[in-house]
């Protein structure tokens, strides 16, 4: 009927979802209100999602990196912010991704944050950074007189380092599979 139920005092407001809570934005921070407009969870998150399966994804400290976690309907952090990517919970499971400098871990977690299924692989970004550092170090050791010599040396180093990372990645994959198979063998016993 066009009647204003909640006065327009939010920068952004989204649909009501689970627990009849809606995400709202106040001064670039996100929180939750009920159907009367009462703030239930204060606006203190950099990002907030609707609730799914009892938990909502929130981002705390919007610096780059692993800072997504999960809260319950009272705003209590249930799974501390530690993920670069976090999906909604469905059937008590959520898909997440966590990065550190060397490895990327991704898979499914339960509502306590414990991994149900986890894969671990070499973080390709770290390989690029390490390659640049190694190239800079090696080029600084070798006297280069012309730009042409520099380009040839850089090209050869890229090939050498790429081969090294391919071998290292293969070894890490073999070790990871070996550890996984040992774990499966032990579980069966």
């Amino acid at each position: 009927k066009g009647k204003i139920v909640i006065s327009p005092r939010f920068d952004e407001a989204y649909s009501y979802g689970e627990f009849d809570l809606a995400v709202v934005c106040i001064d670039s921070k996100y929180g939750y209100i009920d159907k009367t407009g009462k703030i239930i969870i204060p606006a203190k998150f950099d990002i907030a999602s609707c609730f799914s399966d009892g938990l909502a994804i929130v981002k705390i400290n919007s610096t780059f990196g692993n800072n997504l976690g999960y809260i319950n309907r009272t705003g209590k952090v249930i799974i501390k912010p530690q993920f670069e990517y976090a999906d909604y919970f469905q059937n008590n499971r959520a898909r997440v991704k966590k990065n550190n400098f060397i490895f990327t871990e991704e898979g499914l977690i339960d509502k306590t944050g414990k991994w149900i299924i986890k894969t671990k692989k070499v973080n390709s970004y770290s390989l690029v950074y390490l390659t640049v550092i190694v190239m800079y170090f090696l080029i600084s050791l070798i006297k280069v007189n012309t730009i042409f010599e520099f380009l040839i040396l850089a090209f050869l180093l890229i090939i050498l380092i790429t081969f090294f990372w391919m071998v290292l990645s293969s070894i890490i994959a073999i070790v990871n599979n070996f550890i996984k198979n040992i774990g499966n063998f032990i579980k069966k016993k």
Side-chain angles (χ1 to χ4, degrees):
K1 297 180 180 183
K3 180 181 173 190
I4 294 177
V5 178
I6 299 171
S7 63
R9 63 184 187 274
F10 306 111
D11 300 331
E12 300 171 37
Y14 297 90
S15 300
Y16 286 94
E18 198 171 282
F19 308 126
D20 286 333
L21 295 177
V23 176
V24 294
C25 180
I26 305 169
D27 296 327
S28 300
K29 294 290 184 179
Y30 293 84
Y32 297 84
I33 61 170
D34 66 12
K35 288 209 172 197
T36 68
K38 178 182 173 193
I39 294 176
I40 303 299
I41 300 172
K44 60 183 177 180
F45 305 107
D46 297 316
I47 291 176
S49 76
C50 60
F51 283 87
S52 176
D53 220 4
L55 298 176
I57 305 162
V58 293
K59 183 175 189 178
I60 301 172
N61 300 328
S62 62
T63 57
F64 180 77
N66 299 322
N67 50 14
L68 293 172
Y70 294 88
I71 60 169
N72 67 10
R73 69 185 293 175
T74 66
K76 179 181 177 193
V77 175
I78 300 299
I79 301 172
K80 71 178 179 138
Q82 58 187 300
F83 305 109
E84 176 186 46
Y85 170 84
D87 205 348
Y88 295 107
F89 268 90
Q90 293 179 343
N91 299 319
N92 297 316
R93 294 178 174 88
R95 192 167 63 96
V96 295
K97 178 179 176 182
K98 183 192 273 191
N99 274 323
N100 65 33
F101 186 70
I102 304 292
F103 294 103
T104 297
E105 298 173 315
E106 53 189 316
L108 295 175
I109 59 168
D110 65 15
K111 287 188 174 183
T112 66
K114 181 180 172 193
W115 292 97
I116 298 169
I117 298 171
K118 177 170 71 169
T119 62
K120 191 174 191 178
K121 61 185 177 182
V122 175
N123 186 338
S124 58
Y125 296 118
S126 66
L127 299 181
V128 172
Y129 299 139
L130 254 42
T131 300
V132 170
I133 291 167
V134 169
M135 281 181 56
Y136 177 79
F137 176 73
L138 291 175
I139 288 173
S140 67
L141 293 177
I142 300 170
K143 186 174 180 185
V144 178
N145 295 321
T146 67
I147 200 77
F148 179 73
E149 288 176 349
F150 173 80
L151 292 173
I152 294 295
L153 181 61
F155 178 73
L156 292 173
L157 285 173
I158 288 171
I159 291 172
L160 178 69
I161 292 170
T162 301
F163 176 75
F164 169 76
W165 288 125
M166 286 173 32
V167 170
L168 181 64
S169 296
S170 297
I171 290 169
I172 290 170
I174 290 168
V175 169
N176 281 340
N177 284 334
F178 178 75
I179 291 169
K180 181 181 171 184
N181 288 335
I182 292 291
N184 290 338
F185 178 76
I186 291 171
K187 284 180 185 176
K188 288 181 182 177
K189 292 251 174 191

